Amino acid sequence: MDPRKTDRGPVPQELQASNRLLQALTVAQQEFIQGSDAHSLFDKLLEVLLQVTGSEYGFIGEVLRDPQGQPYVQSYAVTNIAWTDELREYYDRYISKGLEFRNLHSLFGAVLRTGEPVIANSPATDPRRGGLPHGHPAMHAFLGLPFKSGEELVGMVGIANRPGGYDSTVIEFLQPLLATCCGIILGWRSEQRRRQAEELLRQREEELQRHRDHLEEQVQLRTTKLLRTTQELEKRQVQLIHSERMASLGLLASGVAHEINNPLGYITSNLATLTEYVSVFTQLLRLHQELEAALGPDLPAPAAELLARIQALREQEELEYLLGDVDELLHDSRVGAQRVKEIVHNLRAFVREDSGHQQLVDVNKELATTLKIVWNELKYRCEVRCDYGQVPPVLGHPTQLNQVFTNLLLNAAQAIPERGEVRVTTTHEAGEVLVHIADTGHGMTPEVLSKLFTPFFTTRPAGKGTGLGLSISQDIVTRHQGRIEVRSQPGEGSTFTLRLPAVREA
């Protein structure tokens, strides 16, 4: 498409910026779920933030408090601007841990003190200014945006030197990014608590092991009983830790979906209105061409000259091409907005909270929803073929079954070394709903199959998996009065079959 045609109005530019921001937020959520490093993740978000706002430099940081309760910012991402040699050395030394900004008598300090956005389009004369370090680039405009969880100030974003300065429109545009940053930091904090809990669990396991050794010397029977009790406690602890992380991820995804819905609504509405306007302009231009043809050659000189200028402009700007291109652009934009709407709908359905009570579950529908959510993880590794049969509903918790489907689909894709196929089939047999998830991957040996549902057992490299997915999936299916069966041969792929009791017709 001709680049000049994208500059004919503000709507395509706004859509392009919104799409770029939405894509970055989606990638950030995926990388967070996959366990990416927080500094690397926020570096990418900061780069996109500067691009979509046209800012020169900035930072994203978490708000912490010192022993006296005073807030300060510790950066997750900050622009490496050309300071003095001394400051550049300080940047290189501490950037991996995060730079600290503690001066509350400054523009960013005003954000920390008030918890409200700060716009300074004349920083040099702003009474809230705190000065700049020696060698720091000049600041012509500044925008500081806090993000909160309830009343708690979680972090802030600071950007500077946008041509023309900043206003409330920029603040509104960046709300989804603020919500994502807030959710990621809260999720990261939850991850830290999880690691601390795991470390505490490890220490407790070591202590329990010492007690086991001592008790084995005295009474073998009491040792065996204590071992069974300990293993059950460990399993429950792992499930609690996993549930906490899933809850934080659900909160993040649900919040982002809610924030996207608002701008998506008026984007969709504006596209519909714009389509109507363009239709009117198209009809008017068609009538104008008919008028030109009806006027004939015998026109007064001024009118003939004006008509010639109009015809020359129409040919120069390729008016016929433009009219067709505008219709195509509007159609593509409406299709894109509808796809975003469907993604948000599926995301909100996927992370909905369990009511605590079992309900009728359409297995085919939940499988389709799960596939849409994990599709980005599957599409580069395999082709997915679905064959949904006519199956009755099952009684259970949709969110928990979504978790089982997610684990099995991702495992199937990861078992395929390069490119292969995943087949999803549902059938109804003897009062049970069967879900078959088969892959053309490398398969498993009998030794691996015997340990498949053992907590913490994984065939993936260290740091690439927790070994909890199948163990938790089996526990969920068991609580639904079902079971998981596995067939696999080395080099011939694997098939996981879920058997869930169907709801009997009255």
Side-chain angles (χ1 to χ4, degrees):
M1 182 175 62
D2 190 342
R4 63 182 179 176
K5 296 179 178 59
T6 62
D7 296 329
R8 293 184 175 274
V11 174
Q13 294 178 351
E14 292 174 2
L15 283 177
Q16 185 179 17
S18 297
N19 288 339
R20 178 68 191 276
L21 183 61
L22 175 61
Q23 182 181 9
L25 297 182
T26 302
V27 172
Q29 295 167 44
Q30 294 171 348
E31 292 185 356
F32 172 75
I33 293 173
Q34 295 168 358
S36 294
D37 175 70
H39 289 279
S40 172
L41 192 152
F42 279 108
D43 280 339
K44 297 176 182 177
L45 283 180
L46 178 60
E47 180 181 357
V48 174
L49 170 62
L50 297 179
Q51 290 176 356
V52 299
T53 61
S55 301
E56 183 179 353
Y57 54 84
F59 68 89
I60 302 175
E62 180 180 9
V63 174
L64 304 173
R65 293 190 178 272
D66 61 23
Q68 290 72 40
Q70 293 298 311
Y72 68 94
V73 173
Q74 180 170 321
S75 71
Y76 276 106
V78 59
T79 308
N80 185 6
I81 52 182
W83 297 352
T84 62
D85 292 341
E86 180 180 357
L87 289 176
R88 189 178 298 108
E89 180 182 355
Y90 177 83
Y91 175 94
D92 293 336
R93 184 184 306 167
Y94 293 102
I95 185 59
S96 61
K97 300 178 181 178
L99 303 180
E100 295 182 357
F101 304 97
R102 296 177 177 266
N103 183 11
L104 296 181
H105 301 290
S106 61
L107 292 175
F108 78 84
V111 179
L112 300 182
R113 293 196 313 271
T114 64
E116 298 295 330
V118 168
I119 296 177
N121 288 326
S122 298
T125 59
D126 196 298
R128 298 167 293 184
R129 70 187 186 279
L132 298 174
H134 176 68
H136 193 288
M139 184 182 295
H140 309 299
F142 173 81
L143 174 62
L145 297 175
F147 44 87
K148 303 178 181 179
S149 176
E151 296 299 319
E152 179 189 2
L153 183 59
V154 176
M156 70 167 290
V157 170
I159 50 179
N161 291 2
R162 178 177 183 257
Y166 302 94
D167 54 27
S168 60
T169 303
V170 179
I171 297 177
E172 180 66 23
F173 174 73
L174 294 179
Q175 289 307 306
L177 179 135
L178 299 179
T180 297
C181 291
C182 185
I184 289 174
I185 290 180
L186 291 177
W188 183 251
R189 290 177 179 176
S190 176
E191 176 70 9
Q192 297 304 308
R193 291 195 297 269
R194 183 188 69 81
R195 293 179 180 179
Q196 292 172 2
E198 287 181 342
E199 176 61 20
L200 179 60
L201 178 61
R202 185 189 64 80
Q203 294 175 1
R204 289 178 177 176
E205 288 175 342
E206 293 176 354
E207 182 179 355
L208 288 172
Q209 185 61 49
R210 290 193 295 269
H211 284 292
R212 292 181 194 130
D213 295 339
H214 176 69
L215 291 173
E216 282 175 356
E217 296 174 358
Q218 301 179 35
V219 185
Q220 184 65 33
L221 181 61
R222 293 180 60 189
T223 303
T224 303
K225 181 179 179 180
L226 179 60
L227 179 60
R228 288 198 300 266
T229 303
T230 302
Q231 290 174 339
E232 182 63 27
L233 289 174
E234 290 173 352
K235 182 178 180 181
R236 292 181 180 274
Q237 181 72 16
V238 167
Q239 292 173 347
L240 289 174
I241 293 171
H242 182 80
S243 297
E244 181 182 1
R245 176 161 176 80
M246 290 301 295
S248 66
L249 293 177
L251 178 63
L252 169 66
S254 180
V256 170
H258 175 73
E259 293 296 334
I260 292 174
N261 259 342
N262 292 332
L264 182 62
Y266 58 75
I267 288 173
T268 303
S269 176
N270 289 347
L271 282 173
T273 303
L274 184 58
T275 300
E276 295 178 2
Y277 292 169
V278 169
S279 175
V280 173
F281 295 152
T282 301
Q283 294 179 24
L284 181 61
L285 290 172
R286 297 298 184 196
L287 291 174
H288 186 273
Q289 289 177 317
E290 292 178 12
L291 178 61
E292 288 181 22
L295 288 175
D298 299 327
L299 291 176
E305 180 184 356
L306 179 59
L307 182 59
R309 289 167 56 193
I310 291 174
Q311 292 173 340
L313 179 61
R314 184 172 64 247
E315 294 175 358
Q316 177 183 348
E317 297 296 333
E318 300 178 2
L319 185 59
E320 294 295 333
Y321 170 77
L322 290 183
L323 291 176
D325 200 27
V326 166
D327 288 339
E328 183 177 345
L329 289 174
L330 289 172
H331 176 267
D332 290 347
S333 298
R334 291 195 301 273
V335 171
Q338 182 61 32
R339 289 187 62 187
V340 173
K341 183 177 180 181
E342 291 175 359
I343 291 171
V344 170
H345 174 77
N346 290 328
L347 188 60
R348 296 183 71 177
F350 186 78
V351 301
R352 65 187 180 278
E353 294 185 1
D354 267 328
S355 63
H357 303 288
Q358 290 187 328
Q359 53 187 286
L360 294 179
V361 180
D362 184 338
V363 171
N364 290 344
K365 179 181 178 182
E366 298 303 328
L367 274 168
T369 297
T370 304
L371 277 169
K372 291 178 181 178
I373 296 300
V374 302
W375 177 241
N376 196 59
E377 296 295 323
L378 305 181
K379 62 183 180 181
Y380 299 112
R381 303 178 68 93
C382 59
E383 181 178 355
V384 179
R385 298 184 181 277
C386 299
D387 183 9
Y388 299 140
Q390 295 292 330
V391 297
V394 301
L395 191 63
H397 301 274
T399 303
Q400 295 180 14
L401 292 177
N402 284 146
Q403 185 177 346
V404 175
F405 298 153
T406 298
N407 289 338
L408 295 182
L409 287 168
L410 292 180
N411 283 352
Q414 291 161 3
I416 298 173
E418 293 183 0
R419 185 75 185 178
E421 180 179 286
V422 171
R423 297 181 298 277
V424 180
T425 308
T426 58
T427 57
H428 179 212
E429 295 180 6
E432 291 182 322
V433 173
L434 277 61
V435 178
H436 307 279
I437 298 179
D439 64 71
T440 58
H442 45 61
M444 292 176 282
T445 64
E447 181 183 3
V448 171
L449 283 172
S450 67
K451 302 177 181 178
L452 201 57
F453 297 101
T454 303
F456 301 110
F457 174 76
T458 178
T459 59
R460 302 182 66 190
K464 296 295 185 180
T466 62
L468 297 174
L470 288 177
S471 174
I472 292 172
S473 296
Q474 185 185 51
D475 184 69
I476 291 173
V477 173
T478 300
R479 283 189 273 116
H480 282 75
Q481 285 75 52
R483 64 187 186 277
I484 302 179
E485 300 173 349
V486 188
R487 298 196 317 273
S488 184
Q489 291 289 337
E492 297 181 7
S494 304
T495 299
F496 284 78
T497 300
L498 274 66
R499 292 181 174 270
L500 298 169
V503 175
R504 295 182 179 178
E505 296 182 0

